[in-house]
Amino acid sequence: MQVYSEADTRFRAEVRAFIAEALPAEMARKARSGVALNREDYFGWQRILAEQGWLTPTWPAEHGGCGWTPIQQHIFEVESHLAGAPRIIPFGIKMVGPVIIHFGNEAQKAAYLPGIREATTWWCQGFSEPGAGSDLASLRTRAERDGDHYVINGQKTWTTYAQYADMIFFLARTKPDAPRKQEGISFFVARMDTPGITVRPITTLDGGHEINETFFEDVRIPAENLIGEENKGWSYAKFLLSNERAGIARVGEVRELIRDLHDMTESQPVGNGSLLDDPAFLRRVTSAEIDALAHEVTTLRLLSREQESGRPNPLTSVLKIRGSEVLGRLAELQMEVEGPLAACFRPSPAGDPELPQALLRPALKTGRYLNYRKFGIFGGTTEIQKNILAKTVLDLKG
Amino acid sequence: MSILDYSEEQRMLKDSTRRLLESHCSFKQRCTHMTSPPGYSKAAWEQMVEVGITSLPFPEDCGGFGSPGVEVAAVMEEIGRATALEPYLASIVLGGSTIARGADAHHLQEFVPAIIAGSMHPALALYEPDHRYALKPMGTKAQAREEGWILNGAKTMVLGGDSATHFLIPAKATDTTLLCLVPASTHGVRVQGYQTVGDLGAADIILEDVPLSPSQVICSGDRAEDAVEYAFDVGVSALCAEAVGTMERLLELTRDYLDTRKQFGVAIGSFQALQHQAVDLLVELEQCRSLSQLAARAVSEQATGRRTAMCSAAKAYISRSARVFAQQAIQLHGGIALTDEYEGSHLARRLTLQSYALGDEDFHLQRYARQPALSGNNAWWD
Ligand SMILES: Cc1cc2nc3c(=O)[nH]c(=O)nc-3n(C[C@H](O)[C@H](O)[C@H](O)COP(=O)(O)OP(=O)(O)OC[C@H]3O[C@@H](n4cnc5c(N)ncnc54)[C@H](O)[C@@H]3O)c2cc1C
């Protein structure tokens, strides 16, 4: 049965061969184990891709793009995950990079694009605020012009990996009295070491540290850190978010989780056999696998339609909704493979500083299950995606 | 009084437990207790002893209150609301009921007062590595020697094991099952403690040539199996009640958050999509409450017949429901419920523990299906 074209099949073989050759075994082992990765783990792999010219495939050729079609990007993502490569952090490559390419001036392109392309500058995203989540346009962080500077005051939150970041891109209000709240917002970038920016870690329910609060207190940034025009930030943000949603099917990770779930089920001893002999469990694994199959094929179908028409497809929200659900379900099943050990979480104050060896994997699986609740929340919640579909596809007016 | 509801006295017990927990185990306090040994509050534990709730499941003739079902459920609902860390389920309900059911008069007099007094913490070691939720000992073996036995084997995910003074170990002997009581300090017993996803302590135990005197065998054969099955059911019923309390509190928090969190200029609780999801939680909670009450009564009435069926029915349902409930409550909150600072995320984690502790959905569906089928026009509880 042919789903990929001849060319895409050859492309897959090429990608596979490259990753097999270039991905260091230790890097893959660490990424697959499920422990938290650090800045160097992520950047290490990104630099290898940068050398190959594969780090910024969607960028225009003159900025270092390699012209992959959406299907080829999809193939790359799946192969990367199956091989255990650290995932690509999107903030520079998929978010701020394209915004600078489209709306930045030549000086900004020269200043910022090389650091993204060569994986030397880590970017974080300062959009959300305590009072502005789904309703992003209600953000309150202010930027006031003062000579050839802007002075920033306000608070951002949920800033993923701010602790690793060299730079932040963010939205701030430049015209508080604008008639519509979407007007009067501007798009800025700033160095994270600018005086007045502080980062406070947020511990997530799985005990991890990947998100932060970011405070701006009388932060003076040069006026040339404004991207595009003043008060046009909302349209740049919408452009950015449409790019963010495109990668949100997470099919690569789904495939990795399915494969691992099979391996885990088969090698999980139960009495004299394995968990695979348990028809109730097998049924649930199989049912999740078919959900994943439907999701991947839907992704491919929508991607190829997009490839033909050259226009973003509003049905993309289907991929975000279902991708979150499938990933959540797979993480749950991997946790359930562990049986009673799934209840293990972390060392106790009354016990040993380390978990017993046999409980390391269960604790990671349970932590990940909890962590994966995030997929239904960031990048536009499931409810917001459903609002979009109801309005744009079903044409139901509220 | 309505059917399957708490009586006036039981409500008073519930209220006083709530007050006790509010003053000793508020969310803030418990976050401190969680990170320093023994992983719970000794002061709160002493209060539990003081007000007498540690005596609830034990027979009256050894100083108990004689109510392992509904009264324990009333207390456990409050423990679930507070996500309390004290080893009530482990020491009193599971460990205590095993001894209460299995021990002879002499052992009862020796141990039960110490358990009620809160000084002896027996933890029931149910699970073994690679045998999932099996309740019978598989790899833990007792070898007879001249005087007594030698124990070898391993147990895992022993609730309360990290702070237990004693372990109740089911072990296989040549042609029988022994239920052994082993002090945690015994030579050859290695305890590796850790925290569960619901923040309660647990442990893995390795037994290496542990010497056992004849008096350390609480009971054997059918009686040992019955004691474990009984304690398991009492524990399941208690855990179901705990889950009901946790859900109830999480629904309150969710409701309040929907009512106060504003986006797009309105409370998010004004969106019908969210109202309906919140109501789904309410519908779920009421199912869980019913099955928990039924299980508690089945345990109180002490008739083995439908006891196991009703306990497994409740836990099969609640195992699934608890997890889905947590997932949906988090989703209704947005980002805030993913933070460790928020009480709701601790409740969600506790629901995950309640889902997997003492048997998951599959285990209890199978256990239920093995009980005698409904006959004729009988109701489930006949
Ligand atoms: C792990 C994680 C990482 C993140 N990383 C970043 C980051 O790096 N940078 C950044 O800027 N942001 C980041 N975010 C923020 C993320 O984009 C927001 O959490 C998201 O937009 C939702 O906002 P909120 O959490 O305030 O929830 P709210 O918007 O308050 O939503 C609460 C609930 O109300 C529902 N709701 C809201 N509006 C409607 C409506 N109109 N109709 C129906 N239901 C509605 C939501 O679906 C949700 O169920 C991250 C979030 C998480 C969880």
Side-chain angles (χ1 to χ4, degrees), chain B residues 331-366:
Chain B
Q331 180 64 29
L332 280 166
H333 280 83
I336 185 82
L338 288 178
T339 67
D340 194 56
E341 265 169 60
Y342 183 60
E343 184 186 344
S345 74
H346 292 245
L347 293 157
R349 285 212 308 260
R350 185 70 159 242
L351 285 166
T352 311
L353 171 66
Q354 289 153 354
S355 177
Y356 296 120
L358 304 182
D360 64 1
E361 183 188 9
D362 284 354
F363 172 84
H364 281 287
L365 286 175
Q366 284 168 26

Side-chain angles (χ1 to χ4, degrees), chain B residues 81-146:
Chain B
R81 280 183 67 90
T83 54
L85 304 165
E86 289 61 36
Y88 189 85
L89 176 68
S91 300
I92 304 299
V93 179
L94 283 165
S97 303
T98 312
I99 291 180
R101 180 81 162 200
D104 61 17
H106 171 74
H107 276 148
L108 283 178
Q109 291 312 328
E110 185 179 353
F111 299 126
V112 172
I115 301 173
I116 293 178
S119 55
M120 176 176 174
H121 293 264
L124 175 60
L126 284 173
Y127 301 128
E128 297 184 357
D130 300 341
H131 291 283
R132 273 182 108 70
Y133 290 103
L135 289 181
K136 289 203 172 88
M138 304 285 193
T140 302
K141 295 193 170 126
Q143 204 180 9
R145 52 173 189 163
E146 231 163 90

Side-chain angles (χ1 to χ4, degrees), chain A residues 125 127-128 133-134 158 160 381 383 387, chain B residues 261 274 331-332 335:
Chain A
Q125 177 189 24
F127 279 16
S128 306
S134 298
W158 317 124
T160 299
T381 67
E383 288 73 22
N387 287 348
Chain B
R261 168 71 171 169
L274 302 195
Q331 180 64 29
L332 280 166

Side-chain angles (χ1 to χ4, degrees), chain A residues 5-80:
Chain A
S5 69
E6 299 276 333
D8 287 341
T9 307
R10 278 198 304 279
F11 175 79
R12 182 171 71 176
E14 187 194 345
V15 168
R16 234 176 232 182
F18 170 75
I19 296 177
E21 168 81 28
L23 177 67
E26 175 53 26
M27 194 183 271
R29 193 204 55 77
K30 186 171 178 189
R32 287 195 60 185
S33 76
V35 301
L37 301 184
N38 59 33
R39 178 180 156 117
E40 267 321 295
D41 294 324
Y42 288 116
F43 264 1
W45 176 234
Q46 290 190 16
R47 290 202 192 103
I48 292 170
L49 291 175
E51 253 170 61
Q52 173 77 359
W54 284 4
L55 186 57
T56 52
T58 56
W59 290 15
E62 77 255 38
H63 294 297
C66 52
W68 287 350
T69 63
I71 298 288
Q72 288 174 326
Q73 292 165 41
H74 163 86
I75 289 173
F76 177 77
E77 188 200 320
V78 170
E79 292 304 319
S80 299

Side-chain angles (χ1 to χ4, degrees), chain A residues 141-144 146 149-155 170 190 193-198 215-222:
Chain A
T141 297
R142 293 186 323 277
E144 279 156 333
D146 178 20
H149 282 78
Y150 283 94
V151 182
I152 317 292
N153 276 289
Q155 185 198 338
F170 62 97
D193 60 6
T194 316
I197 297 183
T198 46
F215 298 89
F216 292 78
E217 208 181 325
D218 292 327
V219 177
R220 293 180 68 82
I221 56 169

Side-chain angles (χ1 to χ4, degrees), chain A residues 129-136 138 158 181 200-207 211 268-271 275 278 280-281 284 329 332 335-352 354-359 366 369-371 373-374 376-377 381-384, chain B residues 33-39 127 129-133 156-157 162-163 191-199 201-202 204 261-265 273-274 277 320 323-324 326-327 330-341 345-346 348-349 352-353 355-357 360-362 366:
Chain A
E129 298 182 4
S134 298
D135 182 15
L136 182 58
S138 68
W158 317 124
K181 58 185 181 179
R200 194 187 74 97
I202 297 175
T203 303
T204 42
L205 82 168
D206 57 321
I211 52 182
Q268 181 69 28
V270 182
L275 190 52
D278 176 346
F281 201 84
R284 281 188 290 147
R329 184 90 192 95
E332 185 177 46
M335 166 173 76
E336 290 184 359
V337 168
E338 310 287 356
L341 305 192
C344 177
F345 190 46
R346 59 184 163 197
S348 104
D352 302 32
E354 301 284 330
L355 289 177
Q357 192 66 29
L359 295 186
T366 301
Y369 160 76
L370 295 168
N371 181 277
R373 298 293 112 215
K374 70 188 176 189
I377 294 170
T381 67
T382 295
E383 288 73 22
I384 293 297
Chain B
H33 303 151
M34 204 167 87
T35 50
S36 52
Y127 301 128
D130 300 341
H131 291 283
R132 273 182 108 70
Y133 290 103
T156 186
M157 194 44 72
D162 63 333
S163 59
V191 181
Q192 294 177 287
Y194 45 85
Q195 220 164 52
T196 63
V197 65
D199 303 324
D204 276 18
R261 168 71 171 169
K262 289 214 164 72
Q263 290 287 275
F264 304 100
L274 302 195
Q277 285 185 54
R320 179 185 173 76
R323 224 168 45 249
V324 177
Q327 294 169 4
I330 291 173
Q331 180 64 29
L332 280 166
H333 280 83
I336 185 82
L338 288 178
T339 67
D340 194 56
E341 265 169 60
S345 74
H346 292 245
R349 285 212 308 260
T352 311
L353 171 66
S355 177
Y356 296 120
D360 64 1
E361 183 188 9
D362 284 354
Q366 284 168 26

